[in-house]
Amino acid sequence: MERETMEFDVVIVGAGPAGLSAACRLKQLAPELMVCVVEKGSEVGAHILSGALFEPRALNELFPDWQQRQAPLTTAVNKDALYLLKENGEVELPGWAIPPSMHNNGNYIISLGNLCRWLAEQAEALGVEIYPGFPAADILYGADNQVIGIQTGDMGRLKDGSEGPQFQPGMQLLAKYTLFAEGCRGHLGKELIERFALDKGKDPQHYALGFKELWRIPKAQHQPGLVVHGAGWPLDDTASGGSFLYHLDDDLVSVGLIVDLNYRDPYLSPFDEFQRLKHHPLFAKYLSGGERLSYGARAIAKGGFNALPQTVFPGGLLIGCDAGTLNFAKIKGSHTAMKSGMLAAEAVAATLTGSQPLTPQSFDERFTQSWLYQELYQHRNFGAALHKWGPLWGGVFNWFEQKCLANKAPWTLSDAIADHQQLETIDSHRPREYPKPDGKLSFDRLSSVFISNTNHEENQPCHLKLKDPSLPVSYNLPHFAEPAQRYCPAGVYEIVEEGDARRLQINAQNCIHCKTCDIKDPSLNIRWCPPEGGGGPNYPNM
């Protein structure tokens, strides 16, 4: 098939904080370079989801005058509280008992989607070409196995894969260097890590599933700048994670729950645990009488330093959450994603302008001299400690390491068991009964997906691929009661009965692109692929 081809110096896959920061830095350093960013969402920011508490360190470096440029950082954190939650009460930890990495002085409560929209404006003003609605479907390789660009997805294919009447073939975007900034569990990043063995000698990446809702609450209950974090309930000893409630401007709050995907109970439903959370007195006192405006969920790469792959491969780099640069000790990944993109841009610009060849060794030297390396290395044990000893004793260990040892511990903890391998069979657990949603604080999946503005062209091929279509019924159902029915936050997967037979039905139109199914399926049998461009959620102000 003949495809249109365009050539650039650099192609960047993904218009998140890493990709856009890389694009801006490239044009700042070498304005003559031709830089292109492709984004699968219908617009920049449409697929961006984060809490979000934002540390402006990288932004200060990228645009020191960001305030004059009116970056959307308007709500500074003015109070920071951490609670241990029980079902009907809570205990607030004193400031001295909270690990220093979790303090938020100098940070901002923001919409990361709006920050990305602003970054896109800065990038376009510098001459970057940005193409929303164009997913990178495939990687293009040269004769000597180096990456030479990407191919965007075809449009107008029918369910059986044939060409429909509106068919348009994807384009080939060729580049001297390609930067992959797809976010957590990027499908092309996975391919590159496997093809070039970039994770050799590293811990497996670890993940969490993060939920978020945006609410407008009564003015009397609103405290702009207040940050609330919770640990403990509603999660029990089979799962770990934490909750949050952040007060933005304009009577808006974001509320959410993060559930680590190493949980053991196959009957656990992270979505329903999130709905329970909002009935806790600490959260209900702010949310009661409010209006839920938006809902979303997204996987989070939280393996940290010990799971970082080699990011350089022939023809490109992995950046941001595609590489796993989030600092889970801070529960923040935006500033680290931005810095990783900036470091990659500086290395690529030096190569293309002839001052320094880009090799894994040269980039490692650049990386190890940066504050990003220092920050991730200092907190390398945080997640592993929580996984090994739970939130209480793991928290004590992290407090001791940060407070008493000043992040200079002589040891490194390993976290070598992948999340999907931790799920236990139904023999060890009982089914859970969750309360019905009340339509005021708690809601069902379908009404939640509705307010995520998710949409897919229905007559396209299913973008959720089963490597073995028989496994959901033959293996997952008898051993794990098919957990996809519960870990999916959008009701994509359900077991349906047809006479005496049962099968897994995939409601791909509901998919909000969280990637949990690609991570948590016990056999890693589900492969997430990008649907047609512009499909998926359309998050406003998230």
Side-chain angles (χ1 to χ4, degrees):
M1 179 187 301
E2 281 196 25
R3 296 181 182 272
E4 185 178 349
T5 299
M6 298 177 67
E7 295 187 15
F8 298 89
D9 293 303
V10 182
V11 167
I12 300 172
V13 179
L20 291 170
S21 296
C24 290
R25 192 74 181 123
L26 278 163
K27 295 295 282 187
Q28 289 173 341
L29 294 171
E32 71 279 8
L33 294 180
M34 295 180 62
V35 180
C36 166
V37 179
V38 293
E39 163 58 38
K40 65 183 175 66
S42 59
E43 64 171 6
V44 173
H47 289 180
I48 297 295
L49 182 71
S50 178
L53 292 179
F54 183 75
E55 181 178 313
R57 186 174 187 177
L59 182 60
N60 290 337
E61 296 177 3
L62 185 61
F63 292 108
D65 59 344
W66 59 263
Q67 290 174 308
Q68 288 73 32
R69 293 172 180 255
Q70 297 183 319
L73 279 65
T74 57
T75 309
V77 175
N78 57 39
K79 185 179 179 182
D80 207 358
L82 174 61
Y83 294 87
L84 297 180
L85 303 183
K86 300 179 179 180
E87 185 167 1
N88 293 306
E90 69 279 344
V91 176
E92 183 175 0
L93 292 180
W96 61 264
I98 302 173
S101 64
M102 297 187 68
H103 289 275
N104 286 288
N105 294 334
N107 295 333
Y108 293 83
I109 307 170
I110 69 165
S111 159
L112 186 60
N114 287 341
L115 178 63
C116 287
R117 293 178 178 98
W118 178 86
L119 282 171
E121 292 173 0
Q122 311 312 305
E124 288 181 324
L126 289 165
V128 176
E129 298 181 39
I130 301 177
Y131 299 112
F134 286 87
D138 295 293
I139 301 171
L140 301 176
Y141 297 96
D144 54 356
N145 201 34
Q146 87 276 21
V147 173
I148 59 171
I150 57 97
Q151 181 175 297
T152 65
D154 295 339
M155 301 286 285
R157 287 195 179 276
L158 303 179
K159 276 188 179 296
D160 62 3
S162 62
E163 299 175 10
Q166 306 299 320
F167 175 75
Q168 293 182 344
M171 299 174 57
Q172 293 188 338
L173 305 182
L174 305 181
K176 298 170 184 173
Y177 282 93
T178 307
L179 307 185
F180 291 82
E182 305 164 279
C184 173
R185 196 70 170 188
H187 78 288
L188 299 181
K190 276 177 54 184
E191 176 182 326
L192 291 163
I193 289 171
E194 181 177 353
R195 185 183 186 104
F196 295 107
L198 300 177
D199 59 350
K200 184 179 180 181
K202 302 290 186 176
D203 280 353
Q205 185 59 265
H206 294 281
Y207 301 91
L209 174 58
F211 294 86
K212 177 182 175 180
E213 290 177 351
L214 186 68
W215 286 63
R216 176 164 281 113
I217 64 172
K219 190 173 293 291
Q221 295 158 210
H222 188 243
Q223 301 179 43
L226 172 63
V227 167
V228 173
H229 284 122
W233 194 89
L235 301 178
D236 58 22
D237 61 1
T238 68
S240 57
S243 50
F244 65 87
L245 191 144
Y246 305 150
H247 290 245
L248 300 94
D249 288 338
D250 300 322
D251 301 329
L252 296 175
V253 298
S254 61
V255 58
L257 178 69
I258 297 171
V259 181
D260 294 343
L261 287 178
N262 68 336
Y263 68 81
R264 304 193 307 274
D265 185 349
Y267 290 115
L268 179 78
S269 167
F271 174 87
D272 290 298
E273 298 292 345
F274 174 42
Q275 301 309 310
R276 286 210 300 159
L277 170 75
K278 291 176 289 177
H279 287 275
H280 190 279
L282 178 65
F283 290 80
K285 73 178 182 181
Y286 295 113
L287 300 176
S288 293
E291 177 189 5
R292 188 176 69 144
L293 304 177
S294 190
Y295 161 85
R298 187 70 172 91
I300 302 166
K302 55 181 280 290
F305 182 86
N306 297 334
L308 278 180
Q310 170 59 250
T311 57
V312 178
F313 50 84
L317 296 95
L318 295 173
I319 60 176
C321 288
D322 227 350
T325 58
L326 179 140
N327 182 354
F328 195 62
K330 289 186 174 182
I331 326 176
K332 295 177 186 66
S334 301
H335 70 293
T336 53
M338 291 179 68
K339 182 62 175 178
S340 76
M342 293 160 64
L343 289 170
E346 291 160 6
V348 169
T351 298
L352 293 178
T353 56
S355 61
Q356 183 186 37
L358 175 56
T359 65
Q361 293 74 24
S362 67
F363 187 79
D364 282 349
E365 183 178 350
R366 184 183 296 272
F367 173 54
T368 54
Q369 292 174 354
S370 71
W371 59 257
L372 176 59
Y373 173 92
Q374 185 69 19
E375 179 176 320
L376 295 179
Y377 179 77
Q378 285 181 342
H379 297 130
R380 66 193 181 281
N381 293 324
F382 189 90
L386 294 176
H387 282 189
K388 283 179 179 293
W389 301 307
L392 177 59
W393 293 110
V396 170
F397 173 91
N398 286 323
W399 180 91
F400 174 78
E401 188 172 86
Q402 292 185 29
K403 202 82 169 180
C404 301
L405 300 181
N407 292 313
K408 296 179 180 178
W411 53 72
T412 295
L413 302 180
S414 181
D415 197 358
I417 304 176
D419 293 337
H420 72 280
Q421 295 174 316
Q422 309 243 15
L423 199 65
E424 298 172 351
T425 62
I426 57 176
D427 298 338
S428 305
H429 300 274
R430 295 180 178 180
R432 299 187 180 212
E433 290 189 12
Y434 288 100
K436 291 184 178 179
D438 66 356
K440 297 177 181 178
L441 292 176
S442 50
F443 304 87
D444 62 26
R445 279 177 170 81
L446 294 184
S447 66
S448 299
V449 171
F450 178 79
I451 63 169
S452 72
N453 303 306
T454 294
N455 184 58
H456 294 91
E457 173 59 49
E458 290 193 22
N459 199 29
Q460 64 176 296
C462 180
H463 66 280
L464 301 161
K465 312 291 187 183
L466 299 179
K467 299 175 186 176
D468 182 345
S470 70
L471 276 184
V473 172
S474 67
Y475 179 69
N476 283 1
L477 190 59
H479 290 92
F480 305 100
E482 183 44 88
Q485 300 177 97
R486 292 172 293 282
Y487 62 59
C488 175
V492 170
Y493 302 97
E494 58 179 320
I495 293 291
V496 297
E497 296 188 5
E498 295 175 336
D500 294 333
R502 289 176 290 184
R503 64 177 177 85
L504 180 70
Q505 178 167 299
I506 301 178
N507 306 306
Q509 297 91 335
N510 290 0
C511 179
I512 57 176
H513 299 197
C514 75
K515 312 286 185 69
T516 304
C517 58
D518 198 293
I519 298 165
K520 190 59 177 174
D521 183 85
S523 301
L524 291 184
N525 187 46
I526 302 173
R527 184 167 64 92
W528 190 97
C529 302
E532 283 191 1
N538 196 335
Y539 294 133
N541 304 317
M542 294 283 268

